[in-house]
Amino acid sequence: MDELRITLRSAPTDCWSCGAETIIISSIHLRAANDEAECSVSDFTDHPALIQDLSPSIAGLDNMGEIKPRFSKTLAQPYMSNGCAHCDALFGQHFELMTRYDEHDAAHLEVPASGQWADFLRKLLSSEDGHLFHF
């Protein structure tokens, strides 16, 4: 397991708060050697350093809001989330799931399949439902 190949998938959506069209990361696909997993932005809640590895690829996408922790009134806690490129409103997992019908591969990158990334992939693969953050 030398390299971990990451595919960021994005989709357009209208912001629930300001109404502007924005782009969000709808899913993230990870592949290393014989292992692969799909996850969502919220799965990075306890792994903010890994989001920093993705940031240059995300920054290159037009009309994409910042991926960062935002406070959810519904959950009464912050979690890693998509945000509107115009007003920074939180886009939760519900919005991500709704956009998957329109998603496309937006960016590809490779990171060393070791350290925090290897741990992250192992946790995803061993989780009961394939996710690390639960609503």
Side-chain angles (χ1 to χ4, degrees):
M1 192 154 67
D2 295 329
E3 293 292 319
L4 178 64
R5 290 176 296 286
I6 301 171
T7 301
L8 302 175
R9 295 181 179 137
S10 68
T13 189
D14 293 330
C15 179
W16 62 269
S17 181
C18 72
E21 185 175 299
T22 191
I23 304 294
I24 66 168
I25 298 293
S26 50
S27 65
I28 300 167
H29 186 261
L30 309 171
R31 181 182 300 202
N34 298 321
D35 295 321
E36 62 181 284
E38 186 173 277
C39 63
S40 62
V41 168
S42 60
D43 291 315
F44 288 84
T45 297
D46 293 333
H47 307 277
L50 299 181
I51 286 294
Q52 295 306 312
D53 290 346
L54 305 179
S55 292
S57 295
I58 293 169
L61 302 173
D62 290 336
N63 211 24
M64 172 85 57
E66 184 180 358
I67 305 296
K68 66 181 184 181
R70 291 179 178 79
F71 185 82
S72 167
K73 292 178 187 175
T74 304
L75 298 178
Q77 69 180 32
Y79 67 93
M80 197 66 68
S81 61
N82 281 286
C84 176
H86 307 280
C87 72
D88 201 43
L90 183 150
F91 276 83
Q93 193 168 20
H94 170 75
F95 285 98
E96 289 175 15
L97 293 173
M98 299 298 289
T99 63
R100 290 209 174 163
Y101 296 107
D102 296 322
E103 76 178 357
H104 67 278
D105 291 358
H108 302 275
L109 64 146
E110 291 185 355
V111 296
S114 59
Q116 290 182 14
W117 278 107
D119 292 342
F120 184 75
L121 181 57
R122 265 194 302 278
K123 288 177 184 176
L124 282 172
L125 293 171
S126 64
S127 69
E128 208 171 282
D129 64 354
H131 291 284
L132 301 180
F133 186 80
H134 298 96
F135 293 86

